[in-house]
Amino acid sequence: VRARPPNVIDLLGGYAATNLIREMLARRVVDSLHEWRTVAEISRLHRIDHDGALVLLNFLYCCSDFLQRRGERFRLAPRYSEHHAWRGVFEKFTGAYGQMIAKPLSAHRSGADAGIDRSALARAYSWDSESPVVIKTIEDLRPDGVLDIGCGRATLLAEICARIPAEGWGIDPSGAMCRAARGSVASAGLQSRIVIRRGSALTINQVLSLQERRRISLIYAGSLMNEFARSDATLVALLDRLSRWFPGCWLIVVDYLGALTGRRKRAGNYTYLNDIVQVLSGQGVPPASHEKWSSIYRAAGAQLSDIIEGRTLDLRWFVHVVRLRGYRHSAKLRSTSTGK
Ligand SMILES: C[S@@+](CC[C@H](N)C(=O)[O-])C[C@H]1O[C@@H](n2cnc3c(N)ncnc32)[C@H](O)[C@@H]1O
């Protein structure tokens, strides 16, 4: 039986709770609530009026699963104190895309990518951990050179290069992400093998020399393709360029199946939230099925050779192992069988 959809009062409650949690994060009240705290303690530690604090904490306790209450004391529910990925999700939707979500119709009209707070996005990704499935998929292909396009904080690249003796290149147009990426590379002690450059997927030929491109046997695009999901033609054009610059290379695409454009049966709020920020930021909702993705690869002469699907809440994310069009001259790449 389908749960009753939230009504307008539920939505207003969620809106107020979201703003409250956001301020509690910014003022570190959330950190204090990792252990049981009386209202008096919270009030004193964070200089909040006692009676107001009581009502606000009670409000969160009553309208969400965020807090637990025992008599006069409150604490964060274990699912929020023991796991941290929710903080990244929260930062993404209230920080990085917060302005757009606050003004959805105007943001949509301008298709304003400029409205993304890139520093908040970099912070949001700091709560992410790399998926073992993705790491294993790349490791199994044993690449000599890995290019991570839209590398973000480059944690995946650092992890791969720490495991196998590959060279790495990370490219990202965001200054905030490049700074964070160089930090990850330095703390892994991999500066001699990984290079981070500021640039776009569309102009890689200006960022990497021909000699460097020839040393790359595998490209990783983690949550990058969805930045080009405005139309099938945009995705095909990107794949086409990649094939020209890196003929015959492996391309590992990690992305998600969109829901709100098609007739796919109901997904869930996490997928819907991702879909709406995709649209508000002018990126477009990614294709809703593997078949559709496969037809896009084919249109660029590339071939989808393996699919691995995972789930985060209701979000269907995937790893696609794709072979780019063309013949790779370097014989050094030792491929493994990936047929399904
Ligand atoms: C959602 S983040 C994913 C970061 C990282 N790949 C990961 O999986 O954690 C998308 C990244 O793509 C970058 N990006 C956006 N447009 C791009 C473009 N045209 N070329 C390359 N990277 C781009 C963003 O700056 C951002 O770091």
Side-chain angles (χ1 to χ4, degrees):
V1 184
R2 207 181 116 200
R4 173 182 71 82
N7 62 31
V8 170
I9 300 300
D10 298 329
L11 296 180
L12 286 168
Y15 175 66
T18 300
N19 284 317
L20 178 53
I21 293 174
R22 183 155 198 230
E23 227 192 338
M24 286 169 64
L25 281 165
R27 291 178 58 172
R28 300 189 162 271
V29 181
V30 169
D31 295 337
S32 302
L33 285 165
H34 277 255
E35 51 196 271
W36 288 105
R37 296 282 191 184
T38 63
V39 176
E41 282 172 324
I42 291 294
S43 154
R44 196 180 59 251
L45 282 170
H46 298 281
R47 297 165 190 261
I48 310 169
D49 166 72
H50 179 280
D51 296 349
L54 171 64
V55 172
L56 290 174
L57 292 173
N58 255 334
F59 168 68
L60 264 192
Y61 168 71
C62 292
C63 78
S64 77
D65 67 350
F66 196 62
L67 295 180
Q68 293 182 323
R69 186 177 70 189
R70 196 182 279 165
E72 259 281 285
R73 294 181 306 155
F74 293 86
R75 76 167 182 189
L76 218 56
R79 66 183 303 198
Y80 299 107
S81 57
E82 288 165 13
H83 307 278
H84 302 289
W86 70 271
R87 288 188 179 226
V89 175
F90 209 88
E91 180 75 78
K92 175 174 170 181
F93 291 107
T94 64
Y97 295 102
Q99 274 187 24
M100 292 176 182
I101 292 182
K103 285 194 160 192
L105 297 182
S106 344
H108 188 210
R109 205 172 37 238
S110 60
D113 178 76
I116 303 176
D117 179 339
R118 295 274 168 192
S119 304
L121 197 59
R123 281 198 301 280
Y125 274 85
S126 70
W127 296 102
D128 250 24
S129 50
E130 297 309 333
S131 153
V133 173
V134 176
I135 292 169
K136 179 161 188 327
T137 304
I138 296 177
E139 256 189 309
D140 285 352
L141 292 167
R142 296 196 280 161
D144 304 306
V146 177
L147 168 62
D148 185 344
I149 310 179
C151 63
R153 305 181 69 91
T155 41
L156 189 278
L157 195 56
E159 175 110 30
I160 292 293
C161 290
R163 284 163 176 263
I164 57 172
E167 287 184 279
W169 286 264
I171 285 180
D172 204 291
S174 151
M177 287 296 196
C178 286
R179 275 191 297 283
R182 291 193 184 104
S184 312
V185 171
S187 39
L190 288 165
Q191 300 96 314
S192 62
R193 271 200 285 138
I194 300 180
V195 178
I196 303 296
R197 301 225 175 103
R198 193 166 176 187
S200 161
L202 296 171
T203 50
I204 291 174
N205 57 333
Q206 294 167 20
V207 182
L208 298 180
S209 69
L210 181 62
Q211 286 75 10
E212 286 177 307
R213 279 187 267 141
R214 285 198 172 140
R215 304 214 298 270
I216 289 164
S217 48
L218 182 145
I219 299 171
Y220 172 66
S223 301
L224 172 82
M225 301 299 281
N226 66 50
E227 304 251 356
F228 295 84
R230 279 178 291 288
S231 68
D232 294 359
T234 319
L235 284 167
V236 173
L238 172 64
L239 290 162
D240 197 56
R241 285 185 197 209
L242 294 181
S243 288
R244 261 189 283 132
W245 295 327
F246 304 94
C249 252
W250 289 114
L251 170 67
I252 308 299
V253 175
V254 175
D255 229 293
Y256 80 99
L257 299 179
L260 290 177
T261 43
R263 295 186 179 183
R264 207 179 105 193
K265 62 181 192 304
R266 295 176 67 82
N269 278 348
Y270 189 40
T271 309
Y272 302 149
L273 275 169
N274 276 285
D275 279 1
I276 65 166
V277 298
Q278 283 291 124
V279 158
L280 297 181
S281 57
Q283 300 173 86
V285 174
S289 68
H290 297 297
E291 293 72 31
K292 181 70 193 166
W293 277 95
S294 178
S295 74
I296 287 168
Y297 300 130
R298 271 201 312 276
Q303 204 190 343
L304 174 59
S305 68
D306 201 3
I307 301 170
I308 303 158
E309 192 175 309
R311 242 171 223 262
T312 302
L313 305 175
D314 52 83
L315 187 98
R316 288 174 67 189
W317 60 271
F318 59 76
V319 183
H320 284 170
V321 180
V322 177
R323 181 69 104 162
L324 288 175
R325 184 186 73 227
Y327 176 70
R328 196 178 140 67
H329 291 281
S330 163
K332 278 183 101 185
L333 183 69
R334 294 147 295 182
S335 70
T336 56
S337 160
T338 53
K340 231 188 187 175

